[in-house]
Amino acid sequence: MSLKISCNGTLAKRPTETVVGHQPVSKRTKPEPIFYNTPDTCSTHQRQQRRRQQQTLFEQLINRPAPYFSVPAVAHSGLIYTANLAHFANRYLAIIFYPSDFSPTAATRIAHFSDSCAQFSAQTCTLVFCSTDSEFAHINWRQKIKRDCGGIGPIDATMLSDRTRGMARDYGVLCEETGQAAWALAVVDSKQVLRFVAADEDTNCCSADEVLRLVRALKQSDIDGRGSQV
């Protein structure tokens, strides 16, 4: 039996479903929503409860075929195209989820990651960013040069547009209250298995150095035959 998280925060049992092959997430069990509260508006008990809910949800996702996605994207060249999970086969994929464009905090963090794109490529890992903004918002944001004013300028990574919120929900990082993705990290390996997912509150997933360390550790565990151990 496996667990699901109800909207009122309680845990209920449900029959375990068998996953056959790498199917689009629409054909598999979808994660139940987590209702994120901001640290300023929830008690310590509520934050602890949310952490437990997140951990239970993430445990259901890790070491299973990564949830399939097919979404509009903006390439580093500025070209709009449709990106899907299969495009990143045979490479590691690091997905940085973030709430919204035109935020000074997002601009600073994404610029930090973008400056490390060459190091990710050296690890045979593709770095992408994902929010629920449209692909046109991504382009407008990239055209706003001054980072200290909320702009981001040209970056070296692809930006995914999760307008339907389906991708963030499938990876368990959607803030249902706001309709935005939480700051979160998901790492998919070269066999397109989801090896790691965590929200920013639980890890240093917004540090490029920490994400690179994690990717190296996961790849080394593959070489050593240790599976998901890091």
Side-chain angles (χ1 to χ4, degrees), residues 24-99:
V25 74
S26 60
K27 296 183 180 180
R28 300 191 284 116
T29 302
K30 291 189 177 183
E32 298 289 336
I34 292 279
F35 289 87
Y36 292 76
N37 296 301
T38 62
D40 294 336
T41 60
C42 63
S43 66
T44 300
H45 173 73
Q46 288 174 318
R47 287 196 295 270
Q48 291 173 344
Q49 183 182 43
R50 182 183 65 186
R51 281 174 176 267
R52 289 192 294 269
Q53 292 175 337
Q54 287 175 333
Q55 187 60 36
T56 300
L57 175 56
F58 293 156
E59 286 174 357
Q60 292 179 346
L61 294 172
I62 291 174
N63 293 326
R64 297 181 66 184
Y68 183 81
F69 62 83
S70 180
V71 295
V74 180
H76 65 88
S77 63
L79 176 70
I80 295 177
Y81 72 106
T82 299
N84 62 53
L85 183 63
H87 291 162
F88 305 99
N90 303 315
R91 295 177 62 87
Y92 265 71
L93 173 65
I95 308 170
I96 305 296
F97 290 93
Y98 66 98

Side-chain angles (χ1 to χ4, degrees), residues 70-185:
S70 180
V71 295
V74 180
H76 65 88
S77 63
L79 176 70
I80 295 177
Y81 72 106
T82 299
N84 62 53
L85 183 63
H87 291 162
F88 305 99
N90 303 315
R91 295 177 62 87
Y92 265 71
L93 173 65
I95 308 170
I96 305 296
F97 290 93
Y98 66 98
S100 65
D101 295 345
F102 299 101
S103 159
T105 299
T108 300
R109 290 185 175 186
I110 288 178
H112 169 62
F113 273 99
S114 179
D115 292 341
S116 302
C117 275
Q119 297 179 60
F120 280 93
S121 294
Q123 295 298 318
T124 320
C125 178
T126 300
L127 175 69
V128 300
F129 304 110
C130 180
S131 77
T132 56
D133 297 283
S134 73
E135 62 272 35
F136 305 108
H138 288 338
I139 288 177
N140 289 337
W141 194 28
R142 288 161 55 98
Q143 291 174 344
K144 190 174 182 181
I145 302 299
K146 292 186 177 180
R147 292 177 177 175
D148 58 348
C149 296
I152 193 171
I155 62 172
D156 293 331
T158 295
M159 303 181 75
L160 305 182
S161 172
D162 183 23
R163 292 181 298 177
T164 66
R165 300 172 176 81
M167 182 176 173
R169 183 177 288 113
D170 290 343
Y171 279 81
V173 300
L174 180 67
C175 300
E176 296 285 348
E177 296 153 319
T178 64
Q180 297 177 325
W183 277 105
L185 166 69

